[in-house]
Amino acid sequence: MRDVMKTVRAAKLSRRRLLEAAALGGLAAGLRPFVRGARATAVEKEDLKLGFIKLTDMAPLAVAKEMGFFEDEGLYVTLEAQANWKVLLDRVITGELDGAHMLAGQPIGATIGFGTKAHVIAPLSLDLNGNGITVSKAVWEDMKPHIPVGADGKLVHPIKAEALKPVVDRYKAEGKPFNMGMVFPVSTHNYELRYWLASGGIHPGFYSPGDTSGQIMADALLSVTPPPQMPATLEAGTILGYCVGEPWNQQAVAKGIGVPVITDTEIWKNNPEKVFGLIAAFAEANPNTVVALTKALIRAGMWLDAENNKNRAEAVKLLSQPDYVGADSQVIANSMTGTFEYEKGDKRTVPDFNVFFRNFATYPFYSDAVWTLTQMRRWGQLAEAKTDAWYDETAKSVYRPDIYRVAAKTLVAEGKAQQADFPWETDGYRAATFEFIDGVGYDGRTPNAYLDKLLIGLKGSQRVDGATVTN
């Protein structure tokens, strides 16, 4: 023990590595009090298993583990990749996972009972933006004649879905389905892809209580494909395009099988993407543990965005490891370091493709949850009209800024964050924004008025009845 403690004092190893080494000699449990140090509040559960999907936006979890932020809070975390979003959610609900990297819509969908019913909460957001829409090379060649060319000879971005509409119309006229992939029915990917298509006059289809395919009245047929399988499914011709997070858009470019046409920051600037989700009952039973998790993940977001993303190159090396994303580091670096490659050789600056802390990225704004709920209503996942008050109450039952604020105040008190890093005066709603591809304004305080402004989709008392929309 004396030799091991000498190593602790010398700080030659990270605490994580030290505990791994000590575990070989059965000393890990005895070392923890020394490694953890004194804390004002003890966590209720030290050993945690958290799930994730192999996407670059799981970075806060990997960073919190590798940089020792979890251990600073007395948490000993195992990170485990999951096969798909459904498996991940199910394992959180059953308690096999204590929490997870989740789609922003998953806690909301589960809480209102769309699919699996369970009260899942989100004490913080993990990031903003991070997705793209990719089409096959053949579809891209058909789109190009319909895309304006700028004075510099390059295609004008953002590319609007109007350029895809003649291609989809031709497929329909020839009796061929235009199939596209997204990652999960309540994913931002589903809603962003639908938003982009609808903004160009392409109907992405409705859901109904009797038909959960999401393809009722659809021009483009959307279906679920797990993120890592997107490029292979595109290459096989099963789908003609998809919306997914990184590195799977850039992977299509690297393999020469597809062309990303737009990123989600161009569909809706600074849109919510992933959250950290866990069962409400776990949070109630382990409040100090959840605050500790939130603190560690906030610090990870801060590290990822620090000093104009100076740590992103190190994050890329970390994410390229097989235990995390396991993709080629150059492919991951395209988006993580502030650039994005569209058509092969057309690399453009997209500095906010991944945002982990700036712009209050980690704060769980109610308005982000409300937007997800509006899209569920727009496409029939919510079959009946809801009042504005219902949207507000539902958002507040899932997104938990009260937990976040405790974590943030503690970080400030500890000198690990600055007062100005957090939106203390917010009522939980972001200011109204018009930064959407179609220019339609969104204010989370008035969701029904927002739905009324969208040309394609349910509004008011409308509902899907069979293959038609009725009032």
Side-chain angles (χ1 to χ4, degrees):
M1 175 66 80
R2 182 179 300 166
D3 290 339
V4 176
M5 290 311 300
K6 188 182 295 181
T7 305
V8 175
R9 288 192 295 269
K12 295 295 186 184
L13 295 172
S14 74
R15 282 165 295 180
R16 182 179 72 86
R17 300 299 182 194
L18 178 62
L19 287 172
E20 288 173 354
L24 296 176
L27 298 174
L31 268 177
R32 283 184 178 174
F34 298 99
V35 174
R36 185 189 315 126
R39 284 188 184 81
T41 306
V43 298
E44 299 86 0
K45 186 174 183 181
E46 292 182 343
D47 295 292
L48 302 170
K49 182 184 288 186
L50 308 180
F52 70 92
I53 297 293
K54 290 194 170 190
L55 294 160
T56 57
D57 56 22
M58 65 77 58
L61 279 77
V63 168
K65 180 176 175 67
E66 297 293 336
M67 298 302 296
F69 300 150
F70 284 135
E71 287 176 16
D72 284 348
E73 302 301 327
L75 304 173
Y76 302 94
V77 171
T78 298
L79 298 180
E80 186 178 284
Q82 306 298 302
N84 57 54
W85 291 114
K86 184 181 186 305
V87 168
L88 178 146
L89 178 62
D90 288 346
R91 295 191 75 207
V92 170
I93 291 170
T94 61
E96 296 170 78
L97 296 171
D98 296 299
H101 160 239
M102 285 189 183
L103 299 159
Q106 282 189 294
I108 299 165
T111 297
I112 67 172
F114 185 80
T116 305
K117 172 69 173 173
H119 189 186
V120 183
I121 66 165
L124 87 162
S125 170
L126 290 175
D127 66 323
L128 303 176
N129 310 320
N131 296 331
I133 296 174
T134 291
V135 298
S136 71
K137 291 193 74 174
V139 169
W140 172 245
E141 291 303 322
D142 288 342
M143 288 177 66
K144 284 173 75 172
H146 307 287
I147 303 171
V149 178
D152 59 0
K154 290 185 175 184
L155 297 176
V156 175
H157 282 234
I159 293 173
K160 297 189 176 182
E162 282 92 337
L164 180 62
K165 191 173 189 310
V167 184
V168 174
D169 288 346
R170 193 190 79 230
Y171 270 73
K172 286 185 67 177
E174 295 173 356
K176 297 187 297 186
F178 195 91
N179 297 318
M180 301 191 79
M182 48 80 183
V183 307
F184 202 66
V186 295
S187 66
T188 46
H189 314 73
N190 186 21
Y191 304 133
E192 288 163 0
L193 180 53
R194 287 170 176 274
Y195 199 102
W196 181 70
L197 291 169
S199 72
I202 302 168
H203 202 304
F206 289 119
Y207 296 82
S208 76
D211 184 348
T212 58
S213 70
Q215 298 180 354
I216 301 168
M217 300 172 61
D219 298 325
L221 305 175
L222 279 56
S223 60
V224 171
T225 302
Q229 297 175 24
M230 289 286 192
T233 309
L234 183 74
E235 188 172 20
T238 307
I239 55 176
L240 299 168
Y242 56 72
C243 183
V244 74
E246 281 306 295
W248 309 116
N249 295 288
Q250 296 297 269
Q251 185 81 340
V253 179
K255 294 182 70 174
I257 59 171
V259 177
V261 292
I262 193 168
T263 67
D264 60 349
T265 189
E266 298 163 308
I267 298 171
W268 174 19
K269 186 177 180 181
N270 288 330
N271 63 87
E273 180 43 35
K274 301 298 191 305
V275 298
F276 181 71
L278 64 164
I279 291 294
F282 180 92
E284 292 166 7
N286 304 280
N288 298 334
T289 303
V290 175
V291 168
L293 281 165
T294 304
K295 287 174 64 184
L297 290 168
I298 290 172
R299 289 183 67 195
M302 294 173 67
W303 185 88
L304 283 159
D305 280 8
E307 297 181 45
N308 197 30
N309 298 348
K310 74 168 187 176
N311 297 319
R312 293 294 182 91
E314 186 176 348
V316 167
K317 292 178 184 177
L318 175 63
L319 293 172
S320 67
Q321 296 178 22
D323 286 348
Y324 296 125
V325 179
D328 183 87
S329 59
Q330 291 184 331
V331 173
I332 295 174
N334 264 357
S335 59
M336 277 289 285
T337 57
T339 60
F340 198 81
E341 190 169 14
Y342 294 87
E343 192 172 12
K344 192 74 172 178
D346 184 9
K347 186 177 286 191
R348 306 189 186 208
T349 300
V350 187
D352 283 346
F353 183 86
N354 283 121
V355 177
F356 294 100
F357 188 71
R358 60 183 176 271
N359 303 325
F360 303 133
T362 53
Y363 195 91
F365 285 98
Y366 300 137
S367 46
D368 292 347
V370 170
W371 187 83
T372 298
L373 289 164
T374 65
Q375 301 311 293
M376 295 182 76
R377 171 61 186 145
R378 181 183 187 185
W379 303 118
Q381 291 176 332
L382 289 173
E384 306 288 344
K386 304 292 184 181
T387 65
D388 285 356
W390 179 89
Y391 284 96
D392 178 73
E393 291 163 7
T394 303
K396 289 177 178 176
S397 73
V398 178
Y399 276 34
R400 295 291 300 277
D402 56 318
I403 297 172
Y404 181 97
R405 288 165 72 90
V406 172
K409 286 178 180 178
T410 307
L411 287 173
V412 172
E414 293 171 347
K416 295 172 183 173
Q418 302 298 314
Q419 191 80 9
D421 289 336
F422 306 103
W424 303 109
E425 303 305 317
T426 182
D427 63 354
Y429 283 84
R430 293 183 186 269
T433 177
F434 288 83
E435 293 183 296
F436 285 81
I437 188 78
D438 56 4
V440 174
Y442 168 65
D443 185 341
R445 298 172 183 84
T446 55
N448 281 297
Y450 170 64
L451 285 166
D452 287 343
K453 292 184 288 187
L454 299 168
L455 295 180
I456 298 178
L458 300 179
K459 49 184 63 67
S461 61
Q462 289 179 335
R463 58 178 293 125
V464 179
D465 184 7
T468 61
V469 173
T470 62
N471 286 304

